[in-house]
Amino acid sequence: MTSKTTSISAADRERLIEAAIQAKQFAYSPYSKFRVGAAFLTTTGEIVKGANIENASYGGTICAERTAIVKAVSEGIKSFVALAVVTDVKAALSPCGLCRQVIREFCSLKMPIFLAPADYFERKANAKEDGDDGVKERTLEELLPDSFGPEDLELPRS
Amino acid sequence: MTSKTTSISAADRERLIEAAIQAKQFAYSPYSKFRVGAAFLTTTGEIVKGANIENASYGGTICAERTAIVKAVSEGIKSFVALAVVTDVKAALSPCGLCRQVIREFCSLKMPIFLAPADYFERKANAKEDGDDGVKERTLEELLPDSFGPEDLELPRS
Amino acid sequence: MTSKTTSISAADRERLIEAAIQAKQFAYSPYSKFRVGAAFLTTTGEIVKGANIENASYGGTICAERTAIVKAVSEGIKSFVALAVVTDVKAALSPCGLCRQVIREFCSLKMPIFLAPADYFERKANAKEDGDDGVKERTLEELLPDSFGPEDLELPRS
Amino acid sequence: MTSKTTSISAADRERLIEAAIQAKQFAYSPYSKFRVGAAFLTTTGEIVKGANIENASYGGTICAERTAIVKAVSEGIKSFVALAVVTDVKAALSPCGLCRQVIREFCSLKMPIFLAPADYFERKANAKEDGDDGVKERTLEELLPDSFGPEDLELPRS
Ligand SMILES: [Zn+2]
Ligand SMILES: [Zn+2]
Ligand SMILES: [Zn+2]
Ligand SMILES: [Zn+2]
């Protein structure tokens, strides 16, 4: 575990990352062969999971992060405290721009986003000494600076 | 209820349409002010619901039908027997082309799609005589003829 | 050439299909390895071409038909009389649902859409006897029946 | 004009911003009533323009930046040195996440992006003293840090 202080507890961070890893099993990615799992932690402590669902048209593909957030919102949940994302590669990869924009609609710019490596469990097991489990932490604002959002559509037209 | 024979029972048709109507309450549609609800019936008798989730970028918007199907698939459900869709208008409106394409990835071309009017309950109550509750029934193939699908990507390049 | 009477001349049909084939050369399709070309004929006799432009996010992919139509509209052209589409396979494939929906925004439901095979030139050369060059013709309405369109958003909410 | 040194000349910066403003006139934005114009400067000194093209499905909407870049790529142009964006509001607004991701596919992370206010001409006329014409300059990397890109899809699966 990193020593960096985050806005959620170490226990929540851990179960959120594990939920993202579990979510990945239901990825439908016959085209990219690249599975992604995502999990949102809600203000009530629930976890909502998603996986990437690809489409033969390619453009119709919906990523794991967007799957998770539309699932939550369509069930009346609009209040999130953290997000975890994991793929099939060892690098801690970030959400694509489409997902950053959709997350932006509902989440605080200060919301932490945990980017976990595919070999998270191994790294965590080996992390006792240096405390590095390979997870990167970013805020939404760090991933989508100067973001375009709902309030911009309300600005007076010049 | 229409007298037309469909591939699902009258009872399933009724609870599916009602689920779509319930789903609509969680629509997030501040831009269009146009709520849509959708519900898929799975082969195991479950119902998976979705609502439209709009986005300030407009292009990031995900419709009710796509929300429902990515929710299902991300939970390991890929086998569907019917879909119902309802909006806020009295006309029985059809899914947009984006949704037809995403549905196409997972569903049989013969799958029935029920298009329900916003005033379904009233029409149903008044339908005893002529049996017309205002619901239109289409198959996926009727809505997306000559469809492009996963198998097309497998064709030999010329 | 098919003997079927269409709304455009045989000469226009031919140059439109050839334009779609030329357009295909600029496809950017490193992920699907599936090139698509499209060409719109405008009411003033101009041809506007497009190719598919894929994206690492998959969901950010824009097909040939949409590339062509946004190109046209962004240059002030909104009046179209026909569309031709060609891919890298010998089957005469149809636009995906996303494209059908975007085309729907600007084109008449009666607009002819020509689906050309990758080996169009060979087939045409060999078509003298039976007149079959392998091109299928559809109208937009045939490809997107019961379509959802701009006027539906204007319907009174119930 | 800002005194900040950029990677393009003051003259290029000026004509690029003016091209984005011109491009805006062909926006098709009946739903948002929010027009956007964009212009890319290519390595050969050409300018390729785009405007936002909305769709009744909302999800089918294609922004100005994406319209411009797919137009360029579909004409064989894949090498860009700068982008300018302008909307109908006085704030210097940034591209949405979808556009940032699509731009990412083709452009250097160091590419400058000029965000111009709707009243650019007035501000420029009044800018002689303090040199502030209201244009913000960002790089792609500043707008899409830790970006997901084509090379990530090549990483070995773990
Ligand atoms: Zn994404
Ligand atoms: Zn839809
Ligand atoms: Zn398409
Ligand atoms: Zn955009």
Side-chain angles (χ1 to χ4, degrees), chain C residues 41-73:
Chain C
L41 181 65
T42 74
T43 45
T44 57
E46 275 178 282
I47 283 180
V48 183
K49 295 182 285 183
N52 54 327
I53 311 296
E54 298 186 350
N55 188 268
S57 72
Y58 280 48
T61 294
I62 298 183
C63 302
E65 302 92 323
R66 286 181 286 151
T67 292
I69 205 165
V70 299
K71 183 191 296 193
V73 176

mmCIF file of all heavy atoms in Angstrom, chain C residues 41-73:
data_model
loop_
_atom_site.group_PDB
_atom_site.id
_atom_site.type_symbol
_atom_site.label_atom_id
_atom_site.label_comp_id
_atom_site.label_asym_id
_atom_site.label_seq_id
_atom_site.Cartn_x
_atom_site.Cartn_y
_atom_site.Cartn_z
ATOM 1 N N LEU C 41 -23.347 11.876 -52.696
ATOM 2 C CA LEU C 41 -23.609 12.759 -53.829
ATOM 3 C C LEU C 41 -24.536 13.851 -53.334
ATOM 4 O O LEU C 41 -25.574 13.568 -52.722
ATOM 5 C CB LEU C 41 -24.273 11.978 -54.968
ATOM 6 C CG LEU C 41 -24.597 12.776 -56.233
ATOM 7 C CD1 LEU C 41 -23.336 13.285 -56.925
ATOM 8 C CD2 LEU C 41 -25.428 11.916 -57.203
ATOM 9 N N THR C 42 -24.154 15.103 -53.575
ATOM 10 C CA THR C 42 -24.976 16.221 -53.092
ATOM 11 C C THR C 42 -25.929 16.681 -54.191
ATOM 12 O O THR C 42 -25.771 16.322 -55.357
ATOM 13 C CB THR C 42 -24.091 17.404 -52.663
ATOM 14 O OG1 THR C 42 -23.586 18.037 -53.853
ATOM 15 C CG2 THR C 42 -22.930 16.950 -51.798
ATOM 16 N N THR C 43 -26.885 17.476 -53.812
ATOM 17 C CA THR C 43 -27.871 17.955 -54.788
ATOM 18 C C THR C 43 -27.247 18.841 -55.863
ATOM 19 O O THR C 43 -27.810 19.009 -56.931
ATOM 20 C CB THR C 43 -29.004 18.757 -54.097
ATOM 21 O OG1 THR C 43 -28.416 19.659 -53.172
ATOM 22 C CG2 THR C 43 -29.956 17.833 -53.385
ATOM 23 N N THR C 44 -26.080 19.387 -55.560
ATOM 24 C CA THR C 44 -25.413 20.216 -56.570
ATOM 25 C C THR C 44 -24.424 19.413 -57.409
ATOM 26 O O THR C 44 -23.641 19.983 -58.167
ATOM 27 C CB THR C 44 -24.674 21.397 -55.898
ATOM 28 O OG1 THR C 44 -23.747 20.843 -54.955
ATOM 29 C CG2 THR C 44 -25.648 22.317 -55.191
ATOM 30 N N GLY C 45 -24.439 18.076 -57.225
ATOM 31 C CA GLY C 45 -23.590 17.236 -58.066
ATOM 32 C C GLY C 45 -22.195 16.985 -57.531
ATOM 33 O O GLY C 45 -21.397 16.273 -58.142
ATOM 34 N N GLU C 46 -21.904 17.581 -56.390
ATOM 35 C CA GLU C 46 -20.597 17.343 -55.778
ATOM 36 C C GLU C 46 -20.551 15.974 -55.099
ATOM 37 O O GLU C 46 -21.581 15.418 -54.720
ATOM 38 C CB GLU C 46 -20.348 18.374 -54.677
ATOM 39 C CG GLU C 46 -19.785 19.680 -55.144
ATOM 40 C CD GLU C 46 -19.639 20.606 -53.947
ATOM 41 O OE1 GLU C 46 -20.668 21.181 -53.515
ATOM 42 O OE2 GLU C 46 -18.519 20.737 -53.434
ATOM 43 N N ILE C 47 -19.346 15.484 -54.901
ATOM 44 C CA ILE C 47 -19.166 14.236 -54.153
ATOM 45 C C ILE C 47 -18.309 14.527 -52.928
ATOM 46 O O ILE C 47 -17.275 15.189 -53.021
ATOM 47 C CB ILE C 47 -18.523 13.163 -55.049
ATOM 48 C CG1 ILE C 47 -19.599 12.600 -56.000
ATOM 49 C CG2 ILE C 47 -17.922 12.037 -54.212
ATOM 50 C CD1 ILE C 47 -19.115 11.534 -56.938
ATOM 51 N N VAL C 48 -18.770 14.055 -51.765
ATOM 52 C CA VAL C 48 -18.019 14.236 -50.522
ATOM 53 C C VAL C 48 -17.661 12.851 -49.988
ATOM 54 O O VAL C 48 -18.527 12.021 -49.758
ATOM 55 C CB VAL C 48 -18.832 15.011 -49.474
ATOM 56 C CG1 VAL C 48 -17.985 15.246 -48.221
ATOM 57 C CG2 VAL C 48 -19.318 16.336 -50.042
ATOM 58 N N LYS C 49 -16.360 12.642 -49.797
ATOM 59 C CA LYS C 49 -15.872 11.316 -49.437
ATOM 60 C C LYS C 49 -15.464 11.195 -47.973
ATOM 61 O O LYS C 49 -15.106 12.179 -47.328
ATOM 62 C CB LYS C 49 -14.644 10.988 -50.298
ATOM 63 C CG LYS C 49 -14.953 10.867 -51.773
ATOM 64 C CD LYS C 49 -13.737 10.495 -52.588
ATOM 65 C CE LYS C 49 -12.794 11.670 -52.762
ATOM 66 N NZ LYS C 49 -11.631 11.315 -53.618
ATOM 67 N N GLY C 50 -15.468 9.966 -47.474
ATOM 68 C CA GLY C 50 -15.010 9.704 -46.115
ATOM 69 C C GLY C 50 -14.449 8.302 -45.989
ATOM 70 O O GLY C 50 -14.753 7.430 -46.804
ATOM 71 N N ALA C 51 -13.623 8.100 -44.974
ATOM 72 C CA ALA C 51 -13.075 6.775 -44.678
ATOM 73 C C ALA C 51 -13.183 6.554 -43.181
ATOM 74 O O ALA C 51 -13.352 7.511 -42.422
ATOM 75 C CB ALA C 51 -11.618 6.700 -45.126
ATOM 76 N N ASN C 52 -13.088 5.321 -42.754
ATOM 77 C CA ASN C 52 -13.193 5.069 -41.303
ATOM 78 C C ASN C 52 -11.899 5.443 -40.587
ATOM 79 O O ASN C 52 -10.808 5.152 -41.052
ATOM 80 C CB ASN C 52 -13.591 3.615 -40.997
ATOM 81 C CG ASN C 52 -12.694 2.569 -41.641
ATOM 82 O OD1 ASN C 52 -12.175 2.792 -42.733
ATOM 83 N ND2 ASN C 52 -12.518 1.452 -40.965
ATOM 84 N N ILE C 53 -12.067 6.116 -39.453
ATOM 85 C CA ILE C 53 -10.945 6.602 -38.661
ATOM 86 C C ILE C 53 -11.078 5.992 -37.267
ATOM 87 O O ILE C 53 -11.882 6.443 -36.454
ATOM 88 C CB ILE C 53 -10.956 8.151 -38.564
ATOM 89 C CG1 ILE C 53 -11.146 8.814 -39.948
ATOM 90 C CG2 ILE C 53 -9.679 8.651 -37.881
ATOM 91 C CD1 ILE C 53 -10.040 8.569 -40.943
ATOM 92 N N GLU C 54 -10.291 4.972 -37.015
ATOM 93 C CA GLU C 54 -10.426 4.258 -35.748
ATOM 94 C C GLU C 54 -9.656 4.936 -34.611
ATOM 95 O O GLU C 54 -8.884 5.872 -34.832
ATOM 96 C CB GLU C 54 -9.961 2.812 -35.922
ATOM 97 C CG GLU C 54 -10.819 2.085 -36.944
ATOM 98 C CD GLU C 54 -10.530 0.608 -37.073
ATOM 99 O OE1 GLU C 54 -9.523 0.151 -36.498
ATOM 100 O OE2 GLU C 54 -11.295 -0.092 -37.736
ATOM 101 N N ASN C 55 -9.885 4.437 -33.408
ATOM 102 C CA ASN C 55 -9.270 5.047 -32.228
ATOM 103 C C ASN C 55 -8.914 3.960 -31.214
ATOM 104 O O ASN C 55 -9.653 2.990 -31.069
ATOM 105 C CB ASN C 55 -10.266 6.048 -31.610
ATOM 106 C CG ASN C 55 -9.641 6.855 -30.496
ATOM 107 O OD1 ASN C 55 -9.706 6.481 -29.338
ATOM 108 N ND2 ASN C 55 -8.980 7.950 -30.849
ATOM 109 N N ALA C 56 -7.803 4.161 -30.526
ATOM 110 C CA ALA C 56 -7.341 3.168 -29.544
ATOM 111 C C ALA C 56 -8.389 2.879 -28.476
ATOM 112 O O ALA C 56 -8.406 1.802 -27.888
ATOM 113 C CB ALA C 56 -6.041 3.631 -28.892
ATOM 114 N N SER C 57 -9.270 3.835 -28.244
ATOM 115 C CA SER C 57 -10.347 3.628 -27.266
ATOM 116 C C SER C 57 -11.492 2.801 -27.842
ATOM 117 O O SER C 57 -12.438 2.488 -27.136
ATOM 118 C CB SER C 57 -10.911 4.979 -26.825
ATOM 119 O OG SER C 57 -11.667 5.556 -27.894
ATOM 120 N N TYR C 58 -11.404 2.491 -29.110
ATOM 121 C CA TYR C 58 -12.472 1.816 -29.848
ATOM 122 C C TYR C 58 -13.757 2.665 -29.914
ATOM 123 O O TYR C 58 -14.261 2.934 -30.991
ATOM 124 C CB TYR C 58 -12.760 0.405 -29.282
ATOM 125 C CG TYR C 58 -11.756 -0.614 -29.768
ATOM 126 C CD1 TYR C 58 -10.382 -0.345 -29.726
ATOM 127 C CD2 TYR C 58 -12.146 -1.843 -30.286
ATOM 128 C CE1 TYR C 58 -9.439 -1.249 -30.183
ATOM 129 C CE2 TYR C 58 -11.204 -2.765 -30.747
ATOM 130 C CZ TYR C 58 -9.858 -2.463 -30.696
ATOM 131 O OH TYR C 58 -8.932 -3.356 -31.154
ATOM 132 N N GLY C 59 -14.278 3.082 -28.780
ATOM 133 C CA GLY C 59 -15.502 3.878 -28.764
ATOM 134 C C GLY C 59 -15.364 5.210 -29.479
ATOM 135 O O GLY C 59 -16.347 5.802 -29.908
ATOM 136 N N GLY C 60 -14.135 5.683 -29.630
ATOM 137 C CA GLY C 60 -13.902 6.958 -30.306
ATOM 138 C C GLY C 60 -13.806 6.821 -31.816
ATOM 139 O O GLY C 60 -13.602 7.816 -32.518
ATOM 140 N N THR C 61 -13.982 5.615 -32.310
ATOM 141 C CA THR C 61 -13.922 5.361 -33.754
ATOM 142 C C THR C 61 -15.053 6.058 -34.499
ATOM 143 O O THR C 61 -16.189 6.072 -34.036
ATOM 144 C CB THR C 61 -14.036 3.833 -33.998
ATOM 145 O OG1 THR C 61 -12.867 3.212 -33.456
ATOM 146 C CG2 THR C 61 -14.167 3.503 -35.479
ATOM 147 N N ILE C 62 -14.742 6.632 -35.655
ATOM 148 C CA ILE C 62 -15.761 7.253 -36.503
ATOM 149 C C ILE C 62 -15.705 6.582 -37.876
ATOM 150 O O ILE C 62 -14.658 6.550 -38.522
ATOM 151 C CB ILE C 62 -15.549 8.774 -36.583
ATOM 152 C CG1 ILE C 62 -15.700 9.367 -35.169
ATOM 153 C CG2 ILE C 62 -16.560 9.416 -37.542
ATOM 154 C CD1 ILE C 62 -15.588 10.875 -35.091
ATOM 155 N N CYS C 63 -16.853 6.030 -38.287
ATOM 156 C CA CYS C 63 -16.930 5.261 -39.540
ATOM 157 C C CYS C 63 -16.818 6.168 -40.776
ATOM 158 O O CYS C 63 -16.958 7.393 -40.683
ATOM 159 C CB CYS C 63 -18.263 4.530 -39.634
ATOM 160 S SG CYS C 63 -18.625 3.403 -38.288
ATOM 161 N N ALA C 64 -16.646 5.544 -41.909
ATOM 162 C CA ALA C 64 -16.524 6.248 -43.188
ATOM 163 C C ALA C 64 -17.749 7.103 -43.500
ATOM 164 O O ALA C 64 -17.629 8.254 -43.945
ATOM 165 C CB ALA C 64 -16.316 5.231 -44.310
ATOM 166 N N GLU C 65 -18.931 6.554 -43.263
ATOM 167 C CA GLU C 65 -20.156 7.279 -43.598
ATOM 168 C C GLU C 65 -20.306 8.534 -42.746
ATOM 169 O O GLU C 65 -20.712 9.593 -43.224
ATOM 170 C CB GLU C 65 -21.389 6.375 -43.382
ATOM 171 C CG GLU C 65 -21.363 5.082 -44.186
ATOM 172 C CD GLU C 65 -20.726 3.912 -43.429
ATOM 173 O OE1 GLU C 65 -19.738 4.141 -42.693
ATOM 174 O OE2 GLU C 65 -21.204 2.778 -43.586
ATOM 175 N N ARG C 66 -19.969 8.401 -41.458
ATOM 176 C CA ARG C 66 -20.077 9.570 -40.580
ATOM 177 C C ARG C 66 -18.985 10.588 -40.870
ATOM 178 O O ARG C 66 -19.215 11.797 -40.814
ATOM 179 C CB ARG C 66 -20.044 9.129 -39.106
ATOM 180 C CG ARG C 66 -21.364 8.475 -38.682
ATOM 181 C CD ARG C 66 -21.328 8.078 -37.219
ATOM 182 N NE ARG C 66 -20.489 6.918 -37.009
ATOM 183 C CZ ARG C 66 -19.816 6.638 -35.907
ATOM 184 N NH1 ARG C 66 -19.855 7.475 -34.887
ATOM 185 N NH2 ARG C 66 -19.086 5.552 -35.811
ATOM 186 N N THR C 67 -17.802 10.101 -41.176
ATOM 187 C CA THR C 67 -16.725 11.025 -41.570
ATOM 188 C C THR C 67 -17.162 11.851 -42.776
ATOM 189 O O THR C 67 -17.014 13.081 -42.795
ATOM 190 C CB THR C 67 -15.446 10.228 -41.914
ATOM 191 O OG1 THR C 67 -14.945 9.631 -40.711
ATOM 192 C CG2 THR C 67 -14.376 11.119 -42.525
ATOM 193 N N ALA C 68 -17.742 11.187 -43.758
ATOM 194 C CA ALA C 68 -18.160 11.898 -44.973
ATOM 195 C C ALA C 68 -19.258 12.914 -44.679
ATOM 196 O O ALA C 68 -19.211 14.051 -45.151
ATOM 197 C CB ALA C 68 -18.635 10.896 -46.020
ATOM 198 N N ILE C 69 -20.232 12.526 -43.884
ATOM 199 C CA ILE C 69 -21.366 13.435 -43.693
ATOM 200 C C ILE C 69 -21.004 14.615 -42.797
ATOM 201 O O ILE C 69 -21.445 15.747 -43.046
ATOM 202 C CB ILE C 69 -22.629 12.676 -43.226
ATOM 203 C CG1 ILE C 69 -23.883 13.458 -43.631
ATOM 204 C CG2 ILE C 69 -22.627 12.403 -41.744
ATOM 205 C CD1 ILE C 69 -25.172 12.655 -43.561
ATOM 206 N N VAL C 70 -20.177 14.408 -41.760
ATOM 207 C CA VAL C 70 -19.799 15.569 -40.943
ATOM 208 C C VAL C 70 -18.873 16.501 -41.721
ATOM 209 O O VAL C 70 -18.897 17.722 -41.533
ATOM 210 C CB VAL C 70 -19.191 15.200 -39.564
ATOM 211 C CG1 VAL C 70 -20.189 14.417 -38.728
ATOM 212 C CG2 VAL C 70 -17.863 14.478 -39.675
ATOM 213 N N LYS C 71 -18.076 15.913 -42.598
ATOM 214 C CA LYS C 71 -17.255 16.740 -43.477
ATOM 215 C C LYS C 71 -18.134 17.655 -44.328
ATOM 216 O O LYS C 71 -17.926 18.874 -44.388
ATOM 217 C CB LYS C 71 -16.414 15.825 -44.381
ATOM 218 C CG LYS C 71 -15.455 16.541 -45.289
ATOM 219 C CD LYS C 71 -14.838 15.616 -46.346
ATOM 220 C CE LYS C 71 -13.982 14.523 -45.727
ATOM 221 N NZ LYS C 71 -13.141 13.834 -46.768
ATOM 222 N N ALA C 72 -19.143 17.065 -44.940
ATOM 223 C CA ALA C 72 -20.044 17.842 -45.790
ATOM 224 C C ALA C 72 -20.780 18.923 -44.993
ATOM 225 O O ALA C 72 -20.761 20.101 -45.356
ATOM 226 C CB ALA C 72 -21.046 16.911 -46.472
ATOM 227 N N VAL C 73 -21.412 18.516 -43.917
ATOM 228 C CA VAL C 73 -22.232 19.458 -43.149
ATOM 229 C C VAL C 73 -21.366 20.598 -42.614
ATOM 230 O O VAL C 73 -21.785 21.759 -42.615
ATOM 231 C CB VAL C 73 -22.995 18.737 -42.015
ATOM 232 C CG1 VAL C 73 -23.764 19.740 -41.164
ATOM 233 C CG2 VAL C 73 -23.948 17.689 -42.603
#
